[in-house]
Amino acid sequence: MLNRKLRILVVFANHGGCSYYRQLSPMKMMQEELPDKVEIRFTDNPLQAVEGSTELPPPDQLVDMNWADIVFVANILKYGGPYTARVIKVAKDLGKFVHFDTDDLLTGLYEEHHLYNVYKENKLGEITKYCYNTADLVTVTQMKFAQRIRPYISKCLAVIKNVIDYNLEAWNVPRTPAKFTRIGYAAGIHHRGDVKVFSSIPHLVNQKVGRENVRWDFYGHPPPDKNKPKDSWEAKVWPEYMASLLRGFKGHKNYNIHYALPPDLYGRYYANMDVAIAPLQLNDFNDSKSDIKVAECSRYKIPLVASNVGCYEETIINGKTGYLIDPDAPKSEWVRILSKLCKDKKHRIELGNNLHEATKDLFDGRKQVQMRYDLYVRAIQDTGHKLSDD
């Protein structure tokens, strides 16, 4: 291996949650925790494209690409699928070690997903397969995901879980106790099918435990944006969510809707929950999703009640660290478990403490940076890739 620092170029798509958890935050932590082993640069435009021009500089003039040992690309970049594939091809032509990461099953979007037609029309699934096949190292968030894309991989494939920088202020907010049970649901704008799983359940739990004993908090509503048309699908998503989630609601309002926060502030959501929920439809896309909600709940010692979809079964043990609900289970099962947690505070606290103890190191980004560095070393050796000494 090298007698100098490993140079890593992080090529990110945006500053949203996916890029934040898969690249921006973990690589920033690596830079801070392993300053003697790595040098890291960040860019969203490694080909130095200029707006309005179709011309790109020749490869030998791409400053960051030529500097790097490793070019780390995740998902489809903001300039589109062909640009993403071009980044990977140029990196390979320059002799770089290419790391490609995806946190969603881009080769298997389901039809109800808002971006299904965009991906289909632009052949982004096929471009993703090209990236998988060309990269020296492909990483995903869990084993089922890895098994689904294995046929497209030509070299190394590894699972890297999402991690959190627990040193951030948002993950160290003092918790304020409440007289009622606060049940929280944090969701972005791509869960239209998933909220149907939870339709009318808040109303049914209210009936079971008394609405004065529970409060529902829904996190992730897009903040007002004057540049977005009022009839855009993004503007319509949360009204659709609430129509489903609040079905049957009558009388006193015992719920709040909260605007979405930047990823480095997500922790504030969980500081104000007593129980978190993660309803999911069963399909290959959801069954390949990460268990980031476990990492978020664990920090604040709150139990998670989730659909038994994806990899939650790796950490959620019924009655010990939370509860898993079969995707085919009737709504009464959600109602039964949530009502139990509302009524039994001691059990609720015990579940949260157990989850924290079981997972506190697994999702701590600063405790995982050496593992990520070691993965690079092993993958470079296993592929026979040669790094320059200069």
Side-chain angles (χ1 to χ4, degrees), residues 339-384:
S339 298
K340 173 181 173 64
L341 293 175
C342 287
K343 294 176 180 179
D344 193 342
K345 181 178 180 181
K346 182 180 178 181
H347 180 53
R348 194 171 72 225
I349 291 172
E350 182 182 20
L351 292 175
N353 287 337
N354 290 344
L355 182 63
H356 176 74
E357 287 303 314
T359 61
K360 61 183 178 181
D361 291 338
L362 180 63
F363 298 107
D364 187 331
R366 294 185 182 274
K367 294 181 180 178
Q368 296 296 326
V369 292
Q370 185 64 49
M371 177 277 293
R372 289 171 180 253
Y373 178 83
D374 292 343
L375 174 61
Y376 278 138
V377 172
R378 290 197 307 272
I380 289 170
Q381 292 172 342
D382 289 349
T383 57

mmCIF file of all heavy atoms in Angstrom, residues 339-384:
data_model
loop_
_atom_site.group_PDB
_atom_site.id
_atom_site.type_symbol
_atom_site.label_atom_id
_atom_site.label_comp_id
_atom_site.label_asym_id
_atom_site.label_seq_id
_atom_site.Cartn_x
_atom_site.Cartn_y
_atom_site.Cartn_z
ATOM 1 N N SER A 339 -51.042 1.072 20.882
ATOM 2 C CA SER A 339 -51.843 1.300 22.088
ATOM 3 C C SER A 339 -51.113 0.767 23.313
ATOM 4 O O SER A 339 -51.096 1.407 24.375
ATOM 5 C CB SER A 339 -53.210 0.619 21.955
ATOM 6 O OG SER A 339 -53.938 1.169 20.872
ATOM 7 N N LYS A 340 -50.491 -0.379 23.164
ATOM 8 C CA LYS A 340 -49.719 -0.965 24.268
ATOM 9 C C LYS A 340 -48.588 -0.027 24.685
ATOM 10 O O LYS A 340 -48.360 0.209 25.881
ATOM 11 C CB LYS A 340 -49.142 -2.316 23.839
ATOM 12 C CG LYS A 340 -48.175 -2.959 24.846
ATOM 13 C CD LYS A 340 -47.646 -4.272 24.306
ATOM 14 C CE LYS A 340 -46.554 -4.849 25.201
ATOM 15 N NZ LYS A 340 -47.052 -5.196 26.552
ATOM 16 N N LEU A 341 -47.882 0.539 23.710
ATOM 17 C CA LEU A 341 -46.762 1.428 24.021
ATOM 18 C C LEU A 341 -47.239 2.735 24.629
ATOM 19 O O LEU A 341 -46.531 3.347 25.444
ATOM 20 C CB LEU A 341 -45.937 1.689 22.758
ATOM 21 C CG LEU A 341 -45.188 0.465 22.213
ATOM 22 C CD1 LEU A 341 -44.505 0.790 20.896
ATOM 23 C CD2 LEU A 341 -44.168 -0.040 23.222
ATOM 24 N N CYS A 342 -48.410 3.199 24.237
ATOM 25 C CA CYS A 342 -48.962 4.409 24.850
ATOM 26 C C CYS A 342 -49.303 4.173 26.323
ATOM 27 O O CYS A 342 -49.130 5.064 27.159
ATOM 28 C CB CYS A 342 -50.228 4.849 24.105
ATOM 29 S SG CYS A 342 -49.918 5.565 22.478
ATOM 30 N N LYS A 343 -49.767 2.990 26.625
ATOM 31 C CA LYS A 343 -50.232 2.694 27.992
ATOM 32 C C LYS A 343 -49.112 2.225 28.918
ATOM 33 O O LYS A 343 -49.228 2.360 30.136
ATOM 34 C CB LYS A 343 -51.328 1.620 27.931
ATOM 35 C CG LYS A 343 -52.603 2.078 27.237
ATOM 36 C CD LYS A 343 -53.602 0.931 27.123
ATOM 37 C CE LYS A 343 -54.879 1.372 26.434
ATOM 38 N NZ LYS A 343 -55.856 0.251 26.307
ATOM 39 N N ASP A 344 -48.056 1.664 28.348
ATOM 40 C CA ASP A 344 -46.997 1.052 29.168
ATOM 41 C C ASP A 344 -45.679 1.812 28.995
ATOM 42 O O ASP A 344 -44.827 1.429 28.194
ATOM 43 C CB ASP A 344 -46.833 -0.417 28.774
ATOM 44 C CG ASP A 344 -45.984 -1.206 29.767
ATOM 45 O OD1 ASP A 344 -45.251 -0.578 30.557
ATOM 46 O OD2 ASP A 344 -46.060 -2.457 29.739
ATOM 47 N N LYS A 345 -45.521 2.888 29.732
ATOM 48 C CA LYS A 345 -44.328 3.738 29.623
ATOM 49 C C LYS A 345 -43.071 2.971 29.991
ATOM 50 O O LYS A 345 -42.023 3.128 29.349
ATOM 51 C CB LYS A 345 -44.491 4.965 30.518
ATOM 52 C CG LYS A 345 -43.311 5.921 30.468
ATOM 53 C CD LYS A 345 -43.568 7.143 31.348
ATOM 54 C CE LYS A 345 -42.381 8.101 31.311
ATOM 55 N NZ LYS A 345 -42.630 9.280 32.182
ATOM 56 N N LYS A 346 -43.129 2.141 31.027
ATOM 57 C CA LYS A 346 -41.955 1.378 31.457
ATOM 58 C C LYS A 346 -41.443 0.486 30.331
ATOM 59 O O LYS A 346 -40.235 0.416 30.068
ATOM 60 C CB LYS A 346 -42.306 0.538 32.684
ATOM 61 C CG LYS A 346 -41.133 -0.269 33.234
ATOM 62 C CD LYS A 346 -41.545 -1.074 34.457
ATOM 63 C CE LYS A 346 -40.374 -1.915 34.966
ATOM 64 N NZ LYS A 346 -40.764 -2.734 36.147
ATOM 65 N N HIS A 347 -42.352 -0.195 29.666
ATOM 66 C CA HIS A 347 -41.974 -1.071 28.549
ATOM 67 C C HIS A 347 -41.383 -0.259 27.407
ATOM 68 O O HIS A 347 -40.373 -0.650 26.802
ATOM 69 C CB HIS A 347 -43.213 -1.829 28.077
ATOM 70 C CG HIS A 347 -42.964 -2.759 26.930
ATOM 71 N ND1 HIS A 347 -41.979 -3.725 26.941
ATOM 72 C CD2 HIS A 347 -43.586 -2.873 25.712
ATOM 73 C CE1 HIS A 347 -41.994 -4.391 25.798
ATOM 74 N NE2 HIS A 347 -42.954 -3.890 25.035
ATOM 75 N N ARG A 348 -41.983 0.880 27.133
ATOM 76 C CA ARG A 348 -41.506 1.773 26.069
ATOM 77 C C ARG A 348 -40.066 2.211 26.331
ATOM 78 O O ARG A 348 -39.215 2.178 25.432
ATOM 79 C CB ARG A 348 -42.435 2.985 26.019
ATOM 80 C CG ARG A 348 -42.318 3.839 24.809
ATOM 81 C CD ARG A 348 -43.443 4.855 24.812
ATOM 82 N NE ARG A 348 -43.280 5.897 25.820
ATOM 83 C CZ ARG A 348 -44.242 6.339 26.618
ATOM 84 N NH1 ARG A 348 -45.446 5.805 26.559
ATOM 85 N NH2 ARG A 348 -43.998 7.322 27.468
ATOM 86 N N ILE A 349 -39.785 2.598 27.543
ATOM 87 C CA ILE A 349 -38.438 3.051 27.902
ATOM 88 C C ILE A 349 -37.442 1.902 27.822
ATOM 89 O O ILE A 349 -36.315 2.063 27.340
ATOM 90 C CB ILE A 349 -38.446 3.679 29.310
ATOM 91 C CG1 ILE A 349 -39.228 5.000 29.283
ATOM 92 C CG2 ILE A 349 -37.028 3.910 29.822
ATOM 93 C CD1 ILE A 349 -39.456 5.614 30.651
ATOM 94 N N GLU A 350 -37.874 0.729 28.264
ATOM 95 C CA GLU A 350 -37.002 -0.443 28.216
ATOM 96 C C GLU A 350 -36.626 -0.784 26.777
ATOM 97 O O GLU A 350 -35.456 -1.075 26.479
ATOM 98 C CB GLU A 350 -37.707 -1.629 28.871
ATOM 99 C CG GLU A 350 -36.858 -2.896 28.906
ATOM 100 C CD GLU A 350 -37.597 -4.067 29.519
ATOM 101 O OE1 GLU A 350 -38.853 -4.013 29.566
ATOM 102 O OE2 GLU A 350 -36.945 -5.042 29.928
ATOM 103 N N LEU A 351 -37.591 -0.742 25.877
ATOM 104 C CA LEU A 351 -37.312 -1.013 24.464
ATOM 105 C C LEU A 351 -36.284 -0.035 23.911
ATOM 106 O O LEU A 351 -35.344 -0.427 23.215
ATOM 107 C CB LEU A 351 -38.598 -0.903 23.641
ATOM 108 C CG LEU A 351 -39.700 -1.942 23.849
ATOM 109 C CD1 LEU A 351 -40.918 -1.565 23.015
ATOM 110 C CD2 LEU A 351 -39.220 -3.328 23.483
ATOM 111 N N GLY A 352 -36.462 1.245 24.208
ATOM 112 C CA GLY A 352 -35.547 2.261 23.710
ATOM 113 C C GLY A 352 -34.136 2.094 24.246
ATOM 114 O O GLY A 352 -33.151 2.231 23.508
ATOM 115 N N ASN A 353 -34.022 1.785 25.527
ATOM 116 C CA ASN A 353 -32.698 1.558 26.123
ATOM 117 C C ASN A 353 -32.018 0.349 25.501
ATOM 118 O O ASN A 353 -30.807 0.368 25.225
ATOM 119 C CB ASN A 353 -32.827 1.367 27.639
ATOM 120 C CG ASN A 353 -33.132 2.662 28.368
ATOM 121 O OD1 ASN A 353 -32.848 3.747 27.868
ATOM 122 N ND2 ASN A 353 -33.719 2.553 29.546
ATOM 123 N N ASN A 354 -32.790 -0.716 25.285
ATOM 124 C CA ASN A 354 -32.217 -1.922 24.667
ATOM 125 C C ASN A 354 -31.731 -1.647 23.248
ATOM 126 O O ASN A 354 -30.668 -2.129 22.834
ATOM 127 C CB ASN A 354 -33.263 -3.044 24.635
ATOM 128 C CG ASN A 354 -33.579 -3.607 26.004
ATOM 129 O OD1 ASN A 354 -32.839 -3.398 26.961
ATOM 130 N ND2 ASN A 354 -34.693 -4.316 26.114
ATOM 131 N N LEU A 355 -32.507 -0.890 22.488
ATOM 132 C CA LEU A 355 -32.113 -0.566 21.116
ATOM 133 C C LEU A 355 -30.820 0.244 21.105
ATOM 134 O O LEU A 355 -29.915 -0.017 20.300
ATOM 135 C CB LEU A 355 -33.231 0.221 20.420
ATOM 136 C CG LEU A 355 -32.965 0.594 18.959
ATOM 137 C CD1 LEU A 355 -32.829 -0.648 18.095
ATOM 138 C CD2 LEU A 355 -34.086 1.491 18.418
ATOM 139 N N HIS A 356 -30.729 1.191 22.012
ATOM 140 C CA HIS A 356 -29.528 2.023 22.098
ATOM 141 C C HIS A 356 -28.295 1.176 22.400
ATOM 142 O O HIS A 356 -27.256 1.311 21.731
ATOM 143 C CB HIS A 356 -29.725 3.078 23.185
ATOM 144 C CG HIS A 356 -28.516 3.927 23.425
ATOM 145 N ND1 HIS A 356 -28.099 4.911 22.547
ATOM 146 C CD2 HIS A 356 -27.614 3.928 24.443
ATOM 147 C CE1 HIS A 356 -27.008 5.486 23.009
ATOM 148 N NE2 HIS A 356 -26.690 4.909 24.157
ATOM 149 N N GLU A 357 -28.399 0.291 23.388
ATOM 150 C CA GLU A 357 -27.251 -0.527 23.773
ATOM 151 C C GLU A 357 -26.830 -1.468 22.646
ATOM 152 O O GLU A 357 -25.638 -1.722 22.455
ATOM 153 C CB GLU A 357 -27.579 -1.325 25.037
ATOM 154 C CG GLU A 357 -27.622 -0.491 26.301
ATOM 155 C CD GLU A 357 -26.317 0.258 26.555
ATOM 156 O OE1 GLU A 357 -25.236 -0.374 26.435
ATOM 157 O OE2 GLU A 357 -26.378 1.459 26.859
ATOM 158 N N ALA A 358 -27.797 -1.970 21.904
ATOM 159 C CA ALA A 358 -27.505 -2.940 20.851
ATOM 160 C C ALA A 358 -26.873 -2.305 19.611
ATOM 161 O O ALA A 358 -26.164 -2.990 18.861
ATOM 162 C CB ALA A 358 -28.776 -3.686 20.459
ATOM 163 N N THR A 359 -27.117 -1.015 19.386
ATOM 164 C CA THR A 359 -26.729 -0.420 18.094
ATOM 165 C C THR A 359 -25.900 0.858 18.207
ATOM 166 O O THR A 359 -25.569 1.449 17.178
ATOM 167 C CB THR A 359 -27.988 -0.108 17.259
ATOM 168 O OG1 THR A 359 -28.793 0.843 17.967
ATOM 169 C CG2 THR A 359 -28.801 -1.372 17.004
ATOM 170 N N LYS A 360 -25.556 1.301 19.389
ATOM 171 C CA LYS A 360 -24.932 2.619 19.546
ATOM 172 C C LYS A 360 -23.606 2.753 18.803
ATOM 173 O O LYS A 360 -23.258 3.841 18.342
ATOM 174 C CB LYS A 360 -24.742 2.938 21.033
ATOM 175 C CG LYS A 360 -23.842 1.976 21.787
ATOM 176 C CD LYS A 360 -23.779 2.324 23.264
ATOM 177 C CE LYS A 360 -22.913 1.345 24.025
ATOM 178 N NZ LYS A 360 -22.874 1.664 25.482
ATOM 179 N N ASP A 361 -22.855 1.666 18.670
ATOM 180 C CA ASP A 361 -21.588 1.734 17.940
ATOM 181 C C ASP A 361 -21.771 1.445 16.447
ATOM 182 O O ASP A 361 -21.024 1.964 15.615
ATOM 183 C CB ASP A 361 -20.579 0.737 18.521
ATOM 184 C CG ASP A 361 -20.112 1.119 19.919
ATOM 185 O OD1 ASP A 361 -20.222 2.312 20.278
ATOM 186 O OD2 ASP A 361 -19.662 0.227 20.655
ATOM 187 N N LEU A 362 -22.766 0.631 16.127
ATOM 188 C CA LEU A 362 -22.982 0.211 14.740
ATOM 189 C C LEU A 362 -23.241 1.392 13.817
ATOM 190 O O LEU A 362 -22.805 1.397 12.660
ATOM 191 C CB LEU A 362 -24.181 -0.750 14.694
ATOM 192 C CG LEU A 362 -24.580 -1.307 13.331
ATOM 193 C CD1 LEU A 362 -23.461 -2.166 12.748
ATOM 194 C CD2 LEU A 362 -25.858 -2.127 13.458
ATOM 195 N N PHE A 363 -23.939 2.407 14.305
ATOM 196 C CA PHE A 363 -24.313 3.543 13.470
ATOM 197 C C PHE A 363 -23.547 4.825 13.799
ATOM 198 O O PHE A 363 -23.873 5.881 13.276
ATOM 199 C CB PHE A 363 -25.817 3.804 13.606
ATOM 200 C CG PHE A 363 -26.677 2.654 13.150
ATOM 201 C CD1 PHE A 363 -27.345 1.863 14.061
ATOM 202 C CD2 PHE A 363 -26.797 2.354 11.805
ATOM 203 C CE1 PHE A 363 -28.140 0.808 13.649
ATOM 204 C CE2 PHE A 363 -27.583 1.309 11.366
ATOM 205 C CZ PHE A 363 -28.268 0.524 12.297
ATOM 206 N N ASP A 364 -22.561 4.726 14.664
ATOM 207 C CA ASP A 364 -21.756 5.893 15.038
ATOM 208 C C ASP A 364 -20.683 6.100 13.975
ATOM 209 O O ASP A 364 -19.716 5.344 13.890
ATOM 210 C CB ASP A 364 -21.131 5.675 16.415
ATOM 211 C CG ASP A 364 -20.421 6.917 16.941
ATOM 212 O OD1 ASP A 364 -19.921 7.717 16.125
ATOM 213 O OD2 ASP A 364 -20.358 7.088 18.177
ATOM 214 N N GLY A 365 -20.861 7.124 13.164
ATOM 215 C CA GLY A 365 -19.976 7.330 12.028
ATOM 216 C C GLY A 365 -18.513 7.457 12.385
ATOM 217 O O GLY A 365 -17.636 6.994 11.646
ATOM 218 N N ARG A 366 -18.221 8.060 13.513
ATOM 219 C CA ARG A 366 -16.818 8.262 13.892
ATOM 220 C C ARG A 366 -16.158 6.966 14.350
ATOM 221 O O ARG A 366 -14.937 6.845 14.316
ATOM 222 C CB ARG A 366 -16.715 9.356 14.949
ATOM 223 C CG ARG A 366 -17.121 10.708 14.383
ATOM 224 C CD ARG A 366 -16.936 11.876 15.313
ATOM 225 N NE ARG A 366 -17.416 13.084 14.645
ATOM 226 C CZ ARG A 366 -16.704 13.853 13.824
ATOM 227 N NH1 ARG A 366 -15.438 13.528 13.577
ATOM 228 N NH2 ARG A 366 -17.217 14.918 13.260
ATOM 229 N N LYS A 367 -16.970 6.009 14.759
ATOM 230 C CA LYS A 367 -16.429 4.709 15.155
ATOM 231 C C LYS A 367 -16.330 3.763 13.975
ATOM 232 O O LYS A 367 -15.801 2.648 14.119
ATOM 233 C CB LYS A 367 -17.295 4.104 16.259
ATOM 234 C CG LYS A 367 -17.232 4.900 17.563
ATOM 235 C CD LYS A 367 -18.085 4.277 18.651
ATOM 236 C CE LYS A 367 -17.987 5.099 19.936
ATOM 237 N NZ LYS A 367 -18.836 4.547 21.021
ATOM 238 N N GLN A 368 -16.822 4.183 12.810
ATOM 239 C CA GLN A 368 -16.826 3.324 11.633
ATOM 240 C C GLN A 368 -15.854 3.781 10.542
ATOM 241 O O GLN A 368 -15.720 3.116 9.514
ATOM 242 C CB GLN A 368 -18.244 3.257 11.047
ATOM 243 C CG GLN A 368 -19.275 2.616 11.969
ATOM 244 C CD GLN A 368 -18.996 1.166 12.267
ATOM 245 O OE1 GLN A 368 -18.481 0.428 11.427
ATOM 246 N NE2 GLN A 368 -19.313 0.741 13.485
ATOM 247 N N VAL A 369 -15.169 4.907 10.752
ATOM 248 C CA VAL A 369 -14.308 5.426 9.678
ATOM 249 C C VAL A 369 -13.135 4.504 9.373
ATOM 250 O O VAL A 369 -12.747 4.358 8.203
ATOM 251 C CB VAL A 369 -13.796 6.855 9.999
ATOM 252 C CG1 VAL A 369 -14.930 7.856 9.974
ATOM 253 C CG2 VAL A 369 -13.070 6.899 11.325
ATOM 254 N N GLN A 370 -12.573 3.861 10.380
ATOM 255 C CA GLN A 370 -11.443 2.960 10.128
ATOM 256 C C GLN A 370 -11.886 1.772 9.285
ATOM 257 O O GLN A 370 -11.162 1.311 8.403
ATOM 258 C CB GLN A 370 -10.836 2.476 11.441
ATOM 259 C CG GLN A 370 -9.577 1.617 11.263
ATOM 260 C CD GLN A 370 -8.417 2.381 10.642
ATOM 261 O OE1 GLN A 370 -8.084 3.481 11.079
ATOM 262 N NE2 GLN A 370 -7.800 1.811 9.607
ATOM 263 N N MET A 371 -13.099 1.282 9.534
ATOM 264 C CA MET A 371 -13.643 0.187 8.734
ATOM 265 C C MET A 371 -13.750 0.590 7.275
ATOM 266 O O MET A 371 -13.412 -0.191 6.374
ATOM 267 C CB MET A 371 -15.021 -0.218 9.277
ATOM 268 C CG MET A 371 -15.732 -1.309 8.492
ATOM 269 S SD MET A 371 -16.654 -0.719 7.028
ATOM 270 C CE MET A 371 -17.938 0.249 7.813
ATOM 271 N N ARG A 372 -14.190 1.819 7.015
ATOM 272 C CA ARG A 372 -14.312 2.284 5.639
ATOM 273 C C ARG A 372 -12.946 2.401 4.974
ATOM 274 O O ARG A 372 -12.767 2.032 3.801
ATOM 275 C CB ARG A 372 -15.032 3.639 5.601
ATOM 276 C CG ARG A 372 -16.514 3.538 5.923
ATOM 277 C CD ARG A 372 -17.147 4.915 6.095
ATOM 278 N NE ARG A 372 -18.560 4.775 6.403
ATOM 279 C CZ ARG A 372 -19.559 5.038 5.567
ATOM 280 N NH1 ARG A 372 -19.298 5.467 4.353
ATOM 281 N NH2 ARG A 372 -20.811 4.869 5.931
ATOM 282 N N TYR A 373 -11.981 2.911 5.712
ATOM 283 C CA TYR A 373 -10.623 3.021 5.170
ATOM 284 C C TYR A 373 -10.077 1.626 4.855
ATOM 285 O O TYR A 373 -9.502 1.394 3.782
ATOM 286 C CB TYR A 373 -9.723 3.735 6.169
ATOM 287 C CG TYR A 373 -8.283 3.844 5.711
ATOM 288 C CD1 TYR A 373 -7.874 4.862 4.844
ATOM 289 C CD2 TYR A 373 -7.329 2.913 6.124
ATOM 290 C CE1 TYR A 373 -6.555 4.952 4.412
ATOM 291 C CE2 TYR A 373 -6.013 2.987 5.697
ATOM 292 C CZ TYR A 373 -5.635 4.010 4.836
ATOM 293 O OH TYR A 373 -4.332 4.092 4.408
ATOM 294 N N ASP A 374 -10.264 0.686 5.790
ATOM 295 C CA ASP A 374 -9.775 -0.676 5.586
ATOM 296 C C ASP A 374 -10.449 -1.336 4.379
ATOM 297 O O ASP A 374 -9.820 -2.137 3.675
ATOM 298 C CB ASP A 374 -10.019 -1.521 6.838
ATOM 299 C CG ASP A 374 -9.158 -1.082 8.021
ATOM 300 O OD1 ASP A 374 -8.164 -0.366 7.809
ATOM 301 O OD2 ASP A 374 -9.496 -1.451 9.168
ATOM 302 N N LEU A 375 -11.718 -1.006 4.139
ATOM 303 C CA LEU A 375 -12.409 -1.540 2.966
ATOM 304 C C LEU A 375 -11.729 -1.080 1.685
ATOM 305 O O LEU A 375 -11.541 -1.874 0.745
ATOM 306 C CB LEU A 375 -13.879 -1.118 2.975
ATOM 307 C CG LEU A 375 -14.691 -1.493 1.726
ATOM 308 C CD1 LEU A 375 -14.738 -3.008 1.539
ATOM 309 C CD2 LEU A 375 -16.102 -0.915 1.810
ATOM 310 N N TYR A 376 -11.369 0.194 1.629
ATOM 311 C CA TYR A 376 -10.654 0.688 0.458
ATOM 312 C C TYR A 376 -9.340 -0.072 0.255
ATOM 313 O O TYR A 376 -9.011 -0.498 -0.862
ATOM 314 C CB TYR A 376 -10.359 2.181 0.599
ATOM 315 C CG TYR A 376 -11.514 3.082 0.231
ATOM 316 C CD1 TYR A 376 -11.818 4.207 1.001
ATOM 317 C CD2 TYR A 376 -12.289 2.839 -0.893
ATOM 318 C CE1 TYR A 376 -12.874 5.051 0.659
ATOM 319 C CE2 TYR A 376 -13.342 3.664 -1.245
ATOM 320 C CZ TYR A 376 -13.634 4.775 -0.458
ATOM 321 O OH TYR A 376 -14.682 5.591 -0.804
ATOM 322 N N VAL A 377 -8.601 -0.257 1.336
ATOM 323 C CA VAL A 377 -7.316 -0.954 1.230
ATOM 324 C C VAL A 377 -7.513 -2.373 0.701
ATOM 325 O O VAL A 377 -6.815 -2.810 -0.224
ATOM 326 C CB VAL A 377 -6.604 -0.979 2.608
ATOM 327 C CG1 VAL A 377 -5.355 -1.867 2.545
ATOM 328 C CG2 VAL A 377 -6.230 0.433 3.044
ATOM 329 N N ARG A 378 -8.487 -3.093 1.259
ATOM 330 C CA ARG A 378 -8.735 -4.473 0.824
ATOM 331 C C ARG A 378 -9.208 -4.527 -0.628
ATOM 332 O O ARG A 378 -8.773 -5.377 -1.403
ATOM 333 C CB ARG A 378 -9.776 -5.137 1.725
ATOM 334 C CG ARG A 378 -9.295 -5.432 3.125
ATOM 335 C CD ARG A 378 -10.199 -6.454 3.819
ATOM 336 N NE ARG A 378 -11.603 -6.067 3.796
ATOM 337 C CZ ARG A 378 -12.175 -5.301 4.711
ATOM 338 N NH1 ARG A 378 -11.454 -4.800 5.710
ATOM 339 N NH2 ARG A 378 -13.460 -5.004 4.635
ATOM 340 N N ALA A 379 -10.125 -3.621 -0.999
ATOM 341 C CA ALA A 379 -10.665 -3.639 -2.355
ATOM 342 C C ALA A 379 -9.586 -3.309 -3.385
ATOM 343 O O ALA A 379 -9.545 -3.907 -4.471
ATOM 344 C CB ALA A 379 -11.822 -2.655 -2.467
ATOM 345 N N ILE A 380 -8.728 -2.370 -3.063
ATOM 346 C CA ILE A 380 -7.629 -2.024 -3.976
ATOM 347 C C ILE A 380 -6.702 -3.221 -4.154
ATOM 348 O O ILE A 380 -6.273 -3.554 -5.273
ATOM 349 C CB ILE A 380 -6.866 -0.792 -3.448
ATOM 350 C CG1 ILE A 380 -7.740 0.461 -3.590
ATOM 351 C CG2 ILE A 380 -5.535 -0.615 -4.172
ATOM 352 C CD1 ILE A 380 -7.188 1.679 -2.877
ATOM 353 N N GLN A 381 -6.414 -3.911 -3.060
ATOM 354 C CA GLN A 381 -5.551 -5.095 -3.139
ATOM 355 C C GLN A 381 -6.241 -6.233 -3.897
ATOM 356 O O GLN A 381 -5.630 -6.882 -4.755
ATOM 357 C CB GLN A 381 -5.170 -5.554 -1.730
ATOM 358 C CG GLN A 381 -4.249 -4.587 -1.005
ATOM 359 C CD GLN A 381 -4.034 -4.957 0.454
ATOM 360 O OE1 GLN A 381 -4.798 -5.724 1.051
ATOM 361 N NE2 GLN A 381 -2.983 -4.401 1.058
ATOM 362 N N ASP A 382 -7.529 -6.456 -3.606
ATOM 363 C CA ASP A 382 -8.248 -7.582 -4.223
ATOM 364 C C ASP A 382 -8.424 -7.401 -5.725
ATOM 365 O O ASP A 382 -8.458 -8.400 -6.476
ATOM 366 C CB ASP A 382 -9.622 -7.746 -3.574
ATOM 367 C CG ASP A 382 -9.548 -8.274 -2.150
ATOM 368 O OD1 ASP A 382 -8.442 -8.716 -1.742
ATOM 369 O OD2 ASP A 382 -10.576 -8.244 -1.447
ATOM 370 N N THR A 383 -8.538 -6.163 -6.176
ATOM 371 C CA THR A 383 -8.712 -5.917 -7.611
ATOM 372 C C THR A 383 -7.373 -5.792 -8.336
ATOM 373 O O THR A 383 -7.348 -5.679 -9.569
ATOM 374 C CB THR A 383 -9.522 -4.637 -7.852
ATOM 375 O OG1 THR A 383 -8.866 -3.513 -7.216
ATOM 376 C CG2 THR A 383 -10.948 -4.770 -7.300
ATOM 377 N N GLY A 384 -6.287 -5.780 -7.595
ATOM 378 C CA GLY A 384 -4.955 -5.641 -8.199
ATOM 379 C C GLY A 384 -4.702 -4.250 -8.736
ATOM 380 O O GLY A 384 -3.833 -4.054 -9.590
#
